[in-house]
Amino acid sequence: MQARSIGDVQVGAIGLGGMPMSIEGRPDEARSVATIQAALDAGVTLIDTADAYHLTATDVGHNETLIARAVAGYGGDTSEVLIATKGGHLRPGDGSWTQNGSPEYLKRACDASLKRLGVEAIGLYQFHRPDPRVPYADSVGAIRDLLEAGKIRQAGISNANPEQIRQANEILGGRLVSVQNQFSPAFRSSEPELELCAELGIAFLPWSPLGGITNAGRLGSRFDVFEQVAQVHGVSPQQVCLAWMLAKAPVVIPIPGSSRPETIRDSVAAADLELSTEEFDRLDAA
Ligand SMILES: NC(=O)c1ccc[n+]([C@@H]2O[C@H](COP(=O)([O-])OP(=O)(O)OC[C@H]3O[C@@H](n4cnc5c(N)ncnc54)[C@H](OP(=O)(O)O)[C@@H]3O)[C@@H](O)[C@H]2O)c1
């Protein structure tokens, strides 16, 4: 697979999003492990997770534990695999998502993620979502402290606007390596953040790139142009969607979620799908 950069680390251009394997509707563990290992077989070297990808109040970190176990149990070389996790979001267990961006909480959450991932330093730690009750500079300051303490190797943010991207990069002393925002054919309002990342050379990781767990399968019926281009190439509309994102800028690294080996294999093939300029323009305007 073609490679892209997250800071000084090279990863395959298509990553794996772990969320569908740990929240509502998650499959059994055997299928999840098969999915993660199919991703590794296909050349995926970026796996996105979060401590908040779990279901009940008692299984916090379900996805981190699952991914660590599947990667550890893989027969092949995993030395190049970057597991990117996040802190700052919580799931109390009633289906809701809450936030805590206090520095004390983020440091505790990072320690817990370190344990679950079984590593001395987290390859990429992302501040999950700004907490309106905590000054953004304080939350990002905690991420900087974690970087300086050697608990995380690289720092990223998520759900940030252009002002927050600039502010975080400044607080981190120019060491912000990634921004993870929602971006898909249905949700394009992160274009300014994508463009800013391209300008600053910061990796941009579109989340829910296929429209989210419940809509991903219907991408072709929701967006005609994606279906039409898919038919010309004899591939899925989801593959076309990911190829379109990759073509937008060299900093883009989509992280499609998956809970079946077939879907992640299909998504990875997007890294080899070449779109003509005319196709790109039609998709971009759709
Ligand atoms: N930072 C944040 O706030 C935030 C928020 C949401 C998500 N995320 C991250 O972003 C990742 C991706 O987002 P998402 O999982 O919400 O949504 P998504 O990637 O848009 O959609 C996920 C669904 O797409 C299906 N799929 C994947 N590849 C496919 C293909 N080639 N053909 C057909 N269907 C395909 C999968 O189906 P199967 O399950 O059947 O395999 C999966 O359930 C998450 O897993 C998570 O890591 C971050």
Side-chain angles (χ1 to χ4, degrees), residues 83-118:
I83 300 178
T85 193
K86 313 182 202 79
H89 236 328
L90 293 90
R91 299 203 79 196
D94 58 1
S96 67
W97 295 76
T98 59
Q99 281 134 264
N100 190 341
S102 81
E104 300 71 30
Y105 170 76
L106 289 172
K107 289 176 186 176
R108 277 203 314 276
C110 178
D111 282 339
S113 291
L114 275 165
K115 275 206 192 101
R116 285 189 290 264
L117 294 173

Side-chain angles (χ1 to χ4, degrees), residues 10-278:
Q10 296 279 299
V11 294
I14 299 289
L16 168 67
M19 193 171 76
M21 294 180 278
S22 290
I23 66 163
E24 288 79 355
R26 69 190 186 194
D28 62 33
E29 179 154 334
R31 193 175 106 192
S32 292
V33 169
T35 302
I36 297 161
Q37 296 187 344
L40 298 172
D41 282 342
V44 166
T45 52
L46 169 66
I47 306 181
D48 181 73
T49 181
D51 57 359
Y53 297 162
H54 66 97
L55 206 46
T56 66
T58 55
D59 72 347
V60 176
H62 176 275
N63 200 245
E64 292 179 323
T65 306
L66 172 72
I67 288 166
R69 200 176 293 149
V71 171
Y74 183 65
D77 179 16
T78 55
S79 58
E80 307 287 304
V81 175
L82 174 64
I83 300 178
T85 193
K86 313 182 202 79
H89 236 328
L90 293 90
R91 299 203 79 196
D94 58 1
S96 67
W97 295 76
T98 59
Q99 281 134 264
N100 190 341
S102 81
E104 300 71 30
Y105 170 76
L106 289 172
K107 289 176 186 176
R108 277 203 314 276
C110 178
D111 282 339
S113 291
L114 275 165
K115 275 206 192 101
R116 285 189 290 264
L117 294 173
V119 293
E120 278 175 22
I122 293 172
L124 173 62
Y125 196 67
Q126 308 155 97
F127 176 41
H128 208 147
R129 186 178 283 277
D131 179 347
R133 297 163 311 166
V134 178
Y136 196 59
D138 291 359
S139 303
V140 178
I143 306 295
R144 180 201 50 216
D145 292 348
L146 291 169
L147 202 52
E148 278 160 14
K151 293 194 173 189
I152 65 175
R153 287 195 212 290
Q154 301 204 98
I157 54 175
S158 181
N159 299 301
N161 63 32
E163 194 189 328
Q164 289 164 332
I165 295 172
R166 291 189 191 278
Q167 188 187 1
N169 199 28
E170 198 182 312
I171 292 168
L172 292 164
R175 290 173 296 173
L176 177 68
V177 300
S178 66
V179 173
Q180 182 176 142
N181 274 16
Q182 185 173 12
F183 185 71
S184 67
F187 190 97
R188 303 205 186 197
S189 56
S190 286
E191 287 269 6
E193 290 85 11
L194 191 162
E195 280 165 25
L196 180 59
C197 285
E199 182 192 319
L200 299 175
I202 293 171
F204 182 86
L205 279 45
W207 67 253
S208 292
L210 304 174
I213 297 173
T214 47
N215 287 318
R218 300 188 293 121
L219 193 146
S221 55
R222 294 175 79 209
F223 298 94
D224 275 359
V225 184
F226 285 80
E227 181 61 39
Q228 289 159 15
V229 174
Q231 283 180 14
V232 170
H233 289 271
V235 300
S236 70
Q238 289 81 5
Q239 232 181 85
V240 169
C241 172
L242 299 169
W244 158 67
M245 287 183 181
L246 289 174
K248 282 186 77 67
V251 294
V252 176
I253 307 173
I255 46 166
S258 207
S259 69
R260 289 181 294 133
E262 307 86 275
T263 50
I264 186 60
R265 275 190 213 111
D266 185 69
S267 294
V268 165
D272 295 320
L273 178 62
E274 286 199 22
L275 302 170
S276 68
T277 308
E278 182 264 338

